[in-house]
Amino acid sequence: MTSTDVPGIQGHADTSTMGDTAGPRGFRGLAAVATRDVTPPVGIRNRNWGPATVDVAAGVHRPFALTALAVRAAGGGDPVVVIGVDATWWRAVSDYLQMRDALHEGLGLDDSRVLFCLSHTHAGAALGGGEADLPGGQLIPGYLQTLREAAVSAGQEAIAGLRPAIIEWTTGRCDLAANREAQVAGRALVAFNPTQPADDTVTVGRISAQDGRLLGTVVNYACHPTTLAWQNQLLSPDYVGAMRECVETTTGAPCLFLQGASGDLAPREQYVGDPAIADRHGTALGHAVLSALATMPLPGTALRLEEVIESGAPLGDWSPVPALLPENLAAARTEVEMPLRPLPSLDQLAAQWADIDPRSRDERIRRARNLREGYIDGPSVAHPLWTIRIGDAVIVAQPGEAYSSFQTTLRARFPELSVIAVNLANGPGFVYLPDQDAYRRNAYQAWQTVLAPGALDLLCQAAVEQIREITDRTSS
């Protein structure tokens, strides 16, 4: 008997027999979800763009959410906790390390079993204690403390609330994300490129209690939240906020968002100041999520080929039956040794950018300094990679901004698994991992990163090996 997320009938080959089953990939064990409101205070520093003319937030577009999912095997053992939060990016490694230490102490879990994932909204508060002396920066230390407390308390609540549950996965499609690797007059721009395709996969997880009640959803989608840019003065989760409202209003359960491998993906219409456009983007993604959920069978069920009914045509009757879901749960963390590209000094960068707007130049130099401190130690860097197996799904997470080929490669290599690729998880290593073409074109992502060409290939190779190792080790 087989159990997959598709019937497994291809072409006209005689590949199905009576008793075959088809259903979503999933997991049976214990799970719980907890949420916190983590909306930053008005007046906090949210200068995230070089051309911005204001430094502090004047209001709030939509609330910011932190959502924690705890999962544990039915047979016992330590849980894993996956936390997603509407947030920008860590300005410095030291800021992330304070969060890591707080989670380790508060949850009592090994580093391999906790993911803290940023949505990467570009309209959020600056997550950098080093900017406390800048306009609006006086509110940053307190907000970082609030984030740490919210993450710990939500994780603790989710662990305490663990109950028998199943997690099932499906996929949908949404063409919000577009390729953002434009080439104009010989210059590489970060802009919509209508000539190149983009990964439109939406991976959706449904978390259900034993009685079928929905406990929560997980949405994994790759698209930069850069709808709102330098014209915007509001704190906003960007498109993720409207997506979450759309899904949660319909399902009545929390929605955990995990940013996918979106280094080369963004909305077609972006860099605007109108929050209604971000809402329109989020609504589109929300409906794609709901569409995917609506096509799933009832929780814990699969379809079985029962009989052939002779009618005007021979009809195969697939009927609902209880699904046999795996109970494997495992987590691993490894480090990928990656070479550095030749790096100019900060003084050389300042001279190189002498002709651009001083505010934009200062922002570039500040980012370059933050990317290097705490990450570079010698001629190469140790880039962390997390792999969590939950039944026949794997979450593969890392702190950088990998291009979308990271997720498409892994899905192609492991078609029997639901692969959830996550950017901006934990740290350190808040750098781009571009493809070879980006280096050839001298794209922004290639000169922003400290990594040499080939780093993305090394990450993909390590992820393939890690998935193979963790699935072989935990296969029953």
Side-chain angles (χ1 to χ4, degrees):
M1 181 176 291
T2 61
S3 180
T4 62
D5 67 341
V6 292
I9 301 176
Q10 301 176 354
H12 302 285
D14 187 9
T15 56
S16 186
T17 60
M18 292 300 175
D20 277 358
T21 62
R25 301 183 178 108
F27 164 81
R28 187 179 299 276
L30 306 177
V33 182
T35 65
R36 296 290 185 274
D37 185 317
V38 292
T39 305
V42 173
I44 197 169
R45 183 172 181 80
N46 72 333
R47 182 181 176 83
N48 300 310
W49 299 88
T53 57
V54 296
D55 296 319
V56 302
V60 176
H61 166 221
R62 283 182 176 274
F64 285 49
L66 180 147
T67 307
L69 166 64
V71 183
R72 192 172 72 196
D78 287 337
V80 298
V81 175
V82 181
I83 299 172
V85 62
D86 296 326
T88 51
W89 59 90
W90 298 114
R91 293 305 205 261
V93 173
S94 57
D95 298 308
Y96 154 71
L97 292 177
Q98 291 183 64
M99 175 62 76
R100 183 201 64 182
D101 294 345
L103 288 170
H104 178 74
E105 180 180 352
L107 304 183
L109 296 175
D110 180 83
D111 186 42
S112 67
R113 306 186 80 83
V114 181
L115 295 179
F116 189 85
C117 311
L118 310 181
S119 71
H120 202 38
T121 175
H122 284 49
L127 301 184
E131 298 186 17
D133 59 339
L134 299 174
Q138 73 278 4
L139 297 177
I140 294 176
Y143 182 64
L144 291 175
Q145 178 65 24
T146 297
L147 269 186
R148 292 192 291 270
E149 293 173 353
V152 170
S153 65
Q156 290 173 337
E157 179 184 333
I159 292 172
L162 285 166
R163 67 193 74 180
I166 59 175
I167 304 176
E168 298 163 296
W169 299 91
T170 188
T171 56
R173 301 291 173 192
C174 179
D175 65 356
L176 168 63
N179 181 279
R180 65 172 196 161
E181 301 287 276
Q183 197 79 12
V184 177
R187 187 183 185 191
L189 303 182
V190 185
F192 170 42
N193 183 351
T195 69
Q196 294 297 318
D199 182 16
D200 62 356
T201 304
V202 186
T203 302
V204 182
R206 182 181 65 187
I207 310 162
S208 307
Q210 278 188 318
D211 60 4
R213 181 171 56 91
L214 190 66
L215 300 178
T217 58
V218 181
V219 175
N220 176 221
Y221 187 64
C223 182
H224 255 77
T226 48
T227 309
L228 299 174
W230 53 90
Q231 311 93 324
N232 170 62
Q233 298 183 32
L234 302 179
L235 293 162
S236 174
D238 206 277
Y239 68 82
V240 178
M243 180 280 295
R244 181 182 295 110
E245 180 182 89
C246 180
V247 173
E248 292 185 347
T249 299
T250 300
T251 64
C255 176
L256 166 64
F257 177 77
L258 300 175
Q259 181 63 251
S262 58
D264 55 340
L265 304 178
R268 292 166 177 79
E269 188 176 2
Q270 59 177 339
Y271 309 147
V272 302
D274 184 359
I277 297 176
D279 285 346
R280 178 158 51 84
H281 289 166
T283 300
L285 179 56
H287 284 299
V289 173
L290 294 175
S291 176
L293 287 170
T295 61
M296 298 180 74
L298 292 175
T301 64
L303 295 176
R304 182 167 63 196
L305 183 56
E306 299 280 15
E307 61 176 327
V308 175
I309 299 173
E310 300 299 338
S311 180
L315 307 177
D317 178 27
W318 291 77
S319 301
V321 296
L324 298 176
L325 298 176
E327 301 180 359
N328 319 73
L329 180 69
R333 179 189 183 278
T334 189
E335 292 183 343
V336 187
E337 203 67 26
M338 294 184 175
L340 299 174
R341 65 180 179 84
L343 296 176
S345 68
L346 296 180
D347 288 340
Q348 289 172 324
L349 289 176
Q352 179 180 328
W353 295 327
D355 295 335
I356 70 172
D357 173 69
R359 292 170 69 91
S360 296
R361 180 178 66 246
D362 291 346
E363 182 66 21
R364 287 187 184 183
I365 294 173
R366 184 181 298 111
R367 292 186 186 186
R369 180 186 300 109
N370 290 338
L371 288 172
R372 300 177 187 201
E373 294 179 353
Y375 181 51
I376 298 177
D377 184 17
S380 63
V381 296
H383 192 83
L385 173 69
W386 284 262
T387 305
I388 298 176
R389 179 180 185 181
I390 305 175
D392 43 24
V394 289
I395 300 175
V396 187
Q398 52 83 42
E401 296 188 56
Y403 272 35
S404 58
S405 59
F406 178 55
Q407 60 196 22
T408 56
T409 297
L410 296 181
R411 292 187 197 128
R413 295 291 291 271
F414 299 97
E416 74 281 8
L417 298 172
S418 288
V419 177
I420 300 93
V422 183
N423 272 2
L424 297 138
N426 296 347
F430 323 121
V431 295
Y432 277 101
L433 290 105
D435 60 21
Q436 296 283 1
D437 184 62
Y439 286 96
R440 180 187 61 79
R441 297 184 302 107
N442 195 33
Y444 159 72
Q445 295 92 328
W447 57 254
Q448 180 264 19
T449 188
V450 300
L451 302 177
L456 180 60
D457 297 330
L458 291 172
L459 181 68
C460 288
Q461 179 183 341
V464 168
E465 294 172 355
Q466 189 68 25
I467 293 172
R468 284 176 176 163
E469 190 279 329
I470 202 170
T471 53
D472 289 345
R473 172 164 51 88
T474 57
S475 294
S476 55

